[in-house]
Amino acid sequence: MQQTIAERRRRAEAQLQDYERSLAEIRSSAGQGANSRALQLQHARLIEKARAELASLDAEQARH
């Protein structure tokens, strides 16, 4: 079970890093148009979801 949690955590951490990197690229290269704001909001939501997944995995690991 621990290996499964560890694998899921690595996957979630990789996703979080990808989302954060993408958001930084959007912010640095995009203008202030509605599309840019929509992409930033979408990535912010993905980041929050990935962080919630990591917190859930931490809680699950603490129970075992």
Side-chain angles (χ1 to χ4, degrees), residues 9-53:
R9 181 166 183 72
R10 277 192 296 276
R11 223 177 7 250
E13 287 173 341
Q15 280 183 322
L16 178 59
Q17 289 176 354
D18 287 344
Y19 296 151
E20 289 175 335
R21 187 173 22 259
S22 294
L23 180 58
E25 289 173 7
I26 291 166
R27 285 182 174 161
S28 68
S29 65
Q32 295 298 316
N35 189 43
S36 172
R37 288 191 296 271
L39 284 172
Q40 288 181 44
L41 181 57
Q42 178 185 14
H43 279 78
R45 288 179 178 152
L46 290 170
I47 289 168
E48 181 58 33
K49 183 178 175 183
R51 287 180 179 160
E53 175 68 15

